[in-house]
Amino acid sequence: MFAIQQIRKRINEQASTEKKFAALLDAAPDATVIVDKDGIIRVINQQVVNLFGYERDEIIGQSVEILVPQASRGSHGGHRNDFFSNPKVRVMGAGLELHAVKKDKSMFPVEISLSPIKTDEGWLVSASVRDITRRKTLENTLKKTNEELEAFTYSVSHDLRAPLRGIVGFTSILEEEYASQLDDEARRITGIIRANTHKMGNLVDDLLAFSRTGKQDLIKIPVDMDAMVRAVTREVLQQYPYLNVTVSQLPLPTVKADKNTIQQVWVNLISNAVKYSARRESIEITIGSQKSEEGILFFVKDNGVGFDNKYKAKLFRVFQRLHSPDEYEGTGVGLALVEKIVSRHGGRVWGEGEVNQGACFYFLLPE
Amino acid sequence: MNLHSVEILLAEDNAADAELAIRALKKHNMANNLVHVKDGEEALEFLTGTGRYASRSNGATLPRVVLLDIQMPKVSGIEVLQHIRDTPQTKHLPVVILTSSKESPDIQKCYDLGANSYIVKPVNFESFAEAIRNLGFYWLLLNQPPVKS
């Protein structure tokens, strides 16, 4: 009597375990197919029914190869044997583009992860199949968009420059060859034409630099920031021979960074420091660094015109400027470029300022 | 002008760019023997003495240098360059590529195809004139053309 109760209890327990297992399987987000060593489908979850279009009793007991595209069926059995000879959790066909076949014979892209299950009847493999049609579509759209952007950049660079060359070139010819017929006012006007065209040329160049920065791969090598900043400072100051500038450069470390782009960061920050201090009798710029938990913090501080802190979020956006071009010329791309370069290095950048009390720009590079 | 003794072949579809280049060369007396063609097809006709330039088919010498714009209708500068290098008679002809864009993915391609020089046309007129003047000076006066075999 007692023994029968025991057996009944065990049967109930087993049934309940199987129910729990089935419920668990059905709750999984991916289609799950459990297959034995001979490639026969033993268990599936509800998602398989939804995804492949087979009913449970149509698919249980069938060879798993009915879900595999014709072209891959030949090699599939061999791969399965390899898996069972070294059963461990892994993805199927790492790096390959996999496809699966529905009942209606249509194919769709999938990602499959495999995990072995040890049972009394031997090893089984559980395959989780994820339909990645949507992701593939998005990836293709993104790829196409990037290609279009590239073509656009190329045409901006090429087609916008040609008419600019014409404007500047023929204005210069007018000034040179018709000098005797131009009065002062006419010469002032040709000067304005040339200055504006020059500005537009700079804008095109900056835009291109900005779009290029997003695409190029960073090559991180040890960069002697001390030497780099000294060279950049010298170069920047050459453009402002009429200004009285004192640069105090504190010792800077060597860090791993992409040399070309990080140099652009220094050029932009130091040029800005000089440019926005140009109205001071004596310009004082301090450049330094500090080690912190997050990495190495660099700063460029000036005693220039500064800015109102309430606009500091706008500083790093493309084409955003806090000064009119009459006060300080610029295209509004420089700091956006700095932000892009530093964030591609995994760091961040910010600025602090006060109107007429100078500004300080910081960037942090992780070690 | 005697089409048989052309020194510079300028292939440029943009009329303004062509005029600026010719003016810059003229200023330094280097445009006397210059022919301006407006696309790649015409450039090839000139070099091979066919079509509009059939009269050059007999005994015409090659120009000292070809200034070649990349972006041209019908036959691009790249295709002209390729043809020049693939043809035994023009294989050694000095070719200077002129382009508007330093972004161009074509730069590498042009050098691979054997361009002698690659010039990005600057927006600034003085630099443009200077670049053209130097080009003319180098290729017409300094460079020794390949010895005819």
Side-chain angles (χ1 to χ4, degrees):
Chain A
M1 205 47 203
F2 184 70
I4 293 171
Q5 270 181 350
Q6 279 266 303
I7 290 165
R8 187 172 290 153
K9 195 175 163 215
R10 267 182 57 193
I11 290 172
N12 281 342
E13 271 172 7
Q14 203 173 343
S16 127
T17 308
E18 269 171 25
K19 263 189 204 156
K20 272 185 206 158
F21 179 65
L24 200 63
L25 219 51
D26 282 341
D30 295 327
T32 304
V33 182
I34 298 178
V35 173
D36 67 18
K37 275 183 128 158
D38 301 319
I40 302 300
I41 298 173
R42 303 286 291 272
V43 181
I44 61 162
N45 68 353
Q46 184 58 36
Q47 275 65 254
V48 173
V49 176
N50 301 344
L51 184 58
F52 286 89
Y54 289 102
E55 291 306 323
R56 271 175 203 270
D57 50 3
E58 284 180 305
I59 197 173
I60 303 276
Q62 294 281 342
S63 162
V64 71
E65 256 101 80
I66 63 166
L67 307 178
V68 179
Q70 195 81 48
S72 314
R73 276 182 204 171
S75 53
H76 193 254
H79 290 315
R80 190 172 54 247
N81 290 339
D82 289 347
F83 181 84
F84 281 116
S85 68
N86 178 22
K88 60 172 199 275
V89 177
R90 64 170 175 87
V91 296
M92 186 191 281
L96 299 177
E97 302 224 326
L98 301 180
H99 288 84
V101 182
K102 296 188 184 186
K103 187 185 175 185
D104 65 10
K105 304 287 176 224
S106 60
M107 291 217 287
F108 60 103
V110 288
E111 231 172 42
I112 300 176
S113 61
L114 302 171
S115 47
I117 309 170
K118 197 174 184 177
T119 69
D120 295 342
E121 303 158 62
W123 284 98
L124 298 176
V125 56
S126 163
S128 296
V129 183
R130 182 170 295 179
D131 179 358
I132 55 168
T133 307
R134 205 177 124 72
R135 198 182 80 197
K136 283 283 163 198
T137 313
L138 287 175
E139 274 174 15
N140 287 338
T141 314
L142 187 66
K143 208 173 139 215
K144 212 170 137 228
T145 312
N146 275 337
E147 280 166 7
E148 277 170 7
L149 194 65
E150 199 132 322
F152 177 74
T153 307
Y154 178 77
S155 104
V156 163
S157 151
H158 184 277
D159 299 346
L160 285 190
R161 236 178 260 262
L164 288 178
R165 234 177 3 252
I167 300 169
V168 181
F170 287 96
T171 308
S172 302
I173 289 169
L174 196 64
E175 285 173 335
E176 269 183 41
E177 297 181 14
Y178 297 86
S180 59
Q181 293 167 54
L182 297 181
D183 60 15
D184 287 350
E185 178 63 4
R187 264 192 296 277
R188 188 182 72 85
I189 289 169
T190 55
I192 293 172
I193 295 173
R194 262 151 38 86
N196 275 284
T197 319
H198 181 71
K199 205 183 279 176
M200 172 120 189
N202 286 344
L203 206 55
V204 171
D205 286 344
D206 284 358
L207 261 182
L208 286 173
F210 188 67
S211 99
R212 215 170 33 229
T213 308
K215 293 191 304 219
Q216 276 172 344
D217 291 330
L218 299 184
I219 302 160
K220 289 193 185 177
I221 52 163
V223 175
D224 178 355
M225 292 293 220
D226 215 63
M228 178 180 274
V229 169
R230 227 172 281 285
V232 167
T233 305
R234 203 164 35 237
E235 210 171 289
V236 170
L237 291 185
Q238 271 170 9
Q239 297 167 29
Y240 299 94
Y242 45 89
L243 293 179
N244 172 20
V245 188
T246 313
V247 178
S248 317
Q249 183 179 329
L250 307 169
L252 302 175
T254 293
V255 296
K256 276 195 110 176
D258 178 71
K259 202 171 173 185
N260 289 333
T261 55
I262 218 70
Q263 173 154 333
Q264 191 64 50
V265 168
W266 285 116
V267 169
N268 291 9
L269 290 181
I270 296 170
S271 305
N272 274 357
V274 178
K275 181 163 90 183
Y276 291 105
S277 306
R279 297 185 184 178
R280 292 277 181 266
E281 292 262 319
S282 65
I283 300 169
E284 285 163 30
I285 293 173
T286 310
I287 302 168
S289 74
Q290 201 183 319
K291 223 173 140 77
S292 83
E293 272 180 18
E294 283 180 80
I296 297 176
L297 181 69
F298 295 92
F299 66 86
V300 178
K301 187 176 174 351
D302 65 55
N303 64 337
V305 67
F307 58 86
D308 189 331
N309 250 325
K310 74 179 171 204
Y311 297 125
K312 70 177 180 186
K314 284 191 171 182
L315 283 169
F316 298 96
R317 288 192 212 148
V318 184
F319 293 136
Q320 287 282 349
R321 304 206 59 217
L322 299 185
H323 302 276
S324 75
D326 295 342
E327 288 177 295
Y328 296 97
E329 64 172 41
T331 55
V333 178
L335 285 179
L337 197 58
V338 166
E339 203 273 337
K340 201 163 180 177
I341 294 168
V342 171
S343 66
R344 287 200 70 203
H345 276 81
R348 54 200 176 85
V349 56
W350 67 98
E352 283 167 11
E354 211 176 311
V355 176
N356 282 322
Q357 301 295 313
C360 187
F361 282 87
Y362 301 87
F363 67 98
L364 189 132
L365 294 182
E367 273 187 285
Chain B
M1 182 188 15
N2 179 1
L3 278 180
H4 278 60
S5 59
V6 167
E7 295 197 311
I8 298 178
L9 176 66
L10 171 67
E12 169 67 79
D13 65 313
N14 182 322
D17 277 355
E19 189 178 336
L20 291 175
I22 294 168
R23 272 175 183 269
L25 288 165
K26 250 189 198 145
K27 242 186 170 173
H28 302 278
N29 277 324
M30 289 187 287
N32 299 329
N33 295 310
L34 178 144
V35 165
H36 170 212
V37 293
K38 293 177 183 65
D39 59 53
E41 188 183 78
E42 199 184 341
L44 287 178
E45 284 178 8
F46 181 87
L47 291 169
T48 55
T50 54
R52 282 160 279 187
Y53 295 92
S55 68
R56 288 188 82 250
S57 59
N58 270 328
T61 54
L62 289 173
R64 300 282 296 266
V65 62
V66 179
L67 308 182
L68 193 59
D69 184 32
I70 286 197
Q71 299 258 320
M72 288 190 295
K74 293 197 259 192
V75 181
S76 76
I78 301 245
E79 290 166 289
V80 174
L81 174 61
Q82 194 148 23
H83 187 273
I84 289 175
R85 290 293 175 255
D86 287 348
T87 308
Q89 293 81 357
T90 52
K91 205 165 76 182
H92 298 295
L93 183 62
V95 176
V96 176
I97 301 291
L98 298 174
T99 175
S100 281
S101 165
K102 60 183 167 214
E103 295 298 306
S104 166
D106 302 328
I107 297 185
Q108 192 54 44
K109 203 168 174 190
C110 287
Y111 278 125
D112 288 346
L113 285 174
N116 297 77
S117 215
Y118 193 103
I119 306 287
V120 177
K121 300 180 221 168
V123 165
N124 177 302
F125 176 66
E126 280 77 19
S127 322
F128 185 68
E130 176 74 8
I132 293 292
R133 190 184 71 83
N134 288 339
L135 271 182
F137 189 67
Y138 178 76
W139 292 106
L140 296 187
L141 301 177
L142 292 179
N143 187 52
Q144 286 296 318
V147 181
K148 274 230 160 98
S149 55

